[in-house]
């Protein structure tokens, strides 16, 4: 069991917040989305916790570059909890951290984007624009103040989440396993919901027998709705388990297969 003797300082929190505010999305890609940005945000602290060029550091770096995608406005809450646990548990926290990240990122993405990326800009943007059309410059300052408040909120939440994370691993140790299992289960539910809502593929093939046209999609929906999207996800999961298969290759295979079947009239959106 490898534990860390390092404790995060105010300078660490400042560095994490700066990286989160200005560089978190710079490494965004379709394969792992915010994974590389998440690692870059906390990499200096990981080095302090695990040491430079250690097997533990390399293992946790691999863990943190896995798929991650959540709201920019809530990501440091997950970061704070993550670092608090790693600080106390070291490399033994690997599974716990992975489960918490998977379980919380979907929920925070929905809440954060709804409130901070949609509701607040709509309200204050409309107010500022309306005042600007009337020649009132106060609207500009209202918009600026609203954005400053949001940035202050993002800055403060890291240390709050970190303190709660410490409480989690010091006074609620017996519940940590249950939380990990619950977070992992929540992550599975979120993946299932994304499959059903984001993958819009259906059978367009409708063979004709005599005077009767068979709508294959209707028959499949009677058996199990969203069966085709689930099958596609299962196929991708199976491919990723094969040797030398990478997410990028899997993406290209899915694109080629879908375009081919679409051109043949078998599937459609």
């Amino acid at each position: 069991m490898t534990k860390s003797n390092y404790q995060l300082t105010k300078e660490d929190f400042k560095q994490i917040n700066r990286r989160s505010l200005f560089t978190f999305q710079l490494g965004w890609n379709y394969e792992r989305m915010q994974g590389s940005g998440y690692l870059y945000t906390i990499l200096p602290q990981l080095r302090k916790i695990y040491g430079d060029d250690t097997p533990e550091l390399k293992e946790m770096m691999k863990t943190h570059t896995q798929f991650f995608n959540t709201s920019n406005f809530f990501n440091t809450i997950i970061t704070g909890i993550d670092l608090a646990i790693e600080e106390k548990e070291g490399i033994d926290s690997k599974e716990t951290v992975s489960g918490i990240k998977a379980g919380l990122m979907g929920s925070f993405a929905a809440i954060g984007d709804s409130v901070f990326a949609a509701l607040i800009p709509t309200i204050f943007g409309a107010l500022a624009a309306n005042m600007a059309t009337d020649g009132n410059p106060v609207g500009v300052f209202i918009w600026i103040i609203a954005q400053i408040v949001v940035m202050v909120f993002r800055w403060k939440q890291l240390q709050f989440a970190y303190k709660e994370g410490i409480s989690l691993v010091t006074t609620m140790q017996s519940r940590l396993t249950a939380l990990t299992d619950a977070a992992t289960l929540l992550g599975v539910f979120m993946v299932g919901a994304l499959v059903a809502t984001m993958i819009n593929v259906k059978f367009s093939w409708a063979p004709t027998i005599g005077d009767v046209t068979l709508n294959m999609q209707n028959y499949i929906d009677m058996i199990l709705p969203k069966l085709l999207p689930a099958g596609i996800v299962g196929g991708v999961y199976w491919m990723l388990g094969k040797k030398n298969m990478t997410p990028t290759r899997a993406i290209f295979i899915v694109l080629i297969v879908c375009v081919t079947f679409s051109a043949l009239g078998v599937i459609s959106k």
Side-chain angles (χ1 to χ4, degrees):
M1 180 177 290
T2 302
K3 299 293 183 69
S4 168
N5 294 321
Y6 182 78
Q7 186 172 4
L8 268 65
T9 65
K10 290 184 178 180
E11 291 302 317
D12 288 317
F13 295 134
K14 290 179 181 178
Q15 185 178 46
I16 294 170
N17 276 319
R18 285 195 299 267
R19 291 193 174 201
S20 175
L21 286 172
F22 300 112
T23 65
F24 185 62
Q25 290 277 61
L26 293 184
W28 197 96
N29 60 82
Y30 283 104
E31 184 174 321
R32 301 188 181 186
M33 296 197 173
Q34 298 170 343
S36 60
Y38 188 95
L39 173 61
Y40 177 74
T41 300
I42 64 172
L43 184 55
Q45 286 67 45
L46 292 180
R47 284 174 171 166
K48 293 175 181 178
I49 292 173
Y50 299 106
D52 282 321
D53 197 26
T54 62
E56 291 82 5
L57 176 63
K58 294 176 182 179
E59 185 66 26
M60 292 309 296
M61 287 177 67
K62 290 180 182 179
T63 299
H64 288 306
T65 53
Q66 298 303 312
F67 177 88
F68 183 79
N69 190 44
T70 192
S71 171
N72 292 336
F73 304 96
F74 277 161
N75 67 290
T76 49
I77 293 181
I78 299 176
T79 303
I81 297 173
D82 166 14
L83 288 176
I85 295 174
E86 289 194 59
E87 184 184 275
K88 292 293 181 181
E89 298 296 320
I91 191 65
D92 296 325
S93 66
K94 177 182 174 181
E95 297 299 327
T96 299
V97 168
S98 297
I100 287 175
K101 287 174 65 179
L104 295 182
M105 66 179 181
S107 302
F108 282 160
I111 298 171
D113 289 346
S114 297
V115 175
F116 293 98
L119 183 61
I120 291 179
T122 299
I123 294 174
F124 289 97
L127 180 61
N130 185 61
M131 297 180 73
T133 56
D134 293 335
N136 189 342
V138 176
V140 176
F141 297 103
I142 290 177
W143 174 258
I144 294 174
I145 292 172
Q147 299 310 307
I148 291 175
V149 171
V150 170
M151 291 184 69
V152 170
F153 170 78
R154 293 178 63 181
W155 189 276
K156 294 291 186 181
Q157 68 186 4
L158 172 65
Q159 198 164 354
F160 170 79
Y162 169 78
K163 290 179 179 178
E164 291 301 312
I166 290 179
S167 173
L168 177 68
V169 297
T170 56
T171 64
M172 299 174 62
Q173 184 67 37
S174 61
R175 303 182 187 179
L176 191 56
T177 302
L179 177 62
T180 302
D181 293 341
T184 303
L185 184 61
L186 179 59
V188 172
F189 273 106
M190 292 304 300
V191 171
L194 288 173
V195 170
T197 57
M198 301 300 293
I199 303 179
N200 298 314
V201 180
K202 61 182 181 181
F203 279 108
S204 57
W205 178 54
T208 300
I209 301 178
D211 296 330
V212 179
T213 300
L214 301 178
N215 190 322
M216 300 303 297
Q217 184 61 48
N218 285 344
Y219 289 118
I220 292 175
D221 287 341
M222 292 172 63
I223 300 172
L224 182 66
K226 298 294 182 178
L227 181 61
L228 182 56
I232 293 174
V233 173
V236 172
Y237 185 81
W238 174 80
M239 285 193 296
L240 292 176
K242 296 298 181 179
K243 187 177 180 180
N244 298 325
M245 177 60 66
T246 66
T248 301
R249 290 179 182 176
I251 289 172
F252 279 109
I253 291 173
V254 171
L255 284 174
I256 293 171
V257 171
C258 288
V259 169
T260 302
F261 278 104
S262 178
L264 294 175
V266 178
I267 62 174
S268 63
K269 182 176 179 180

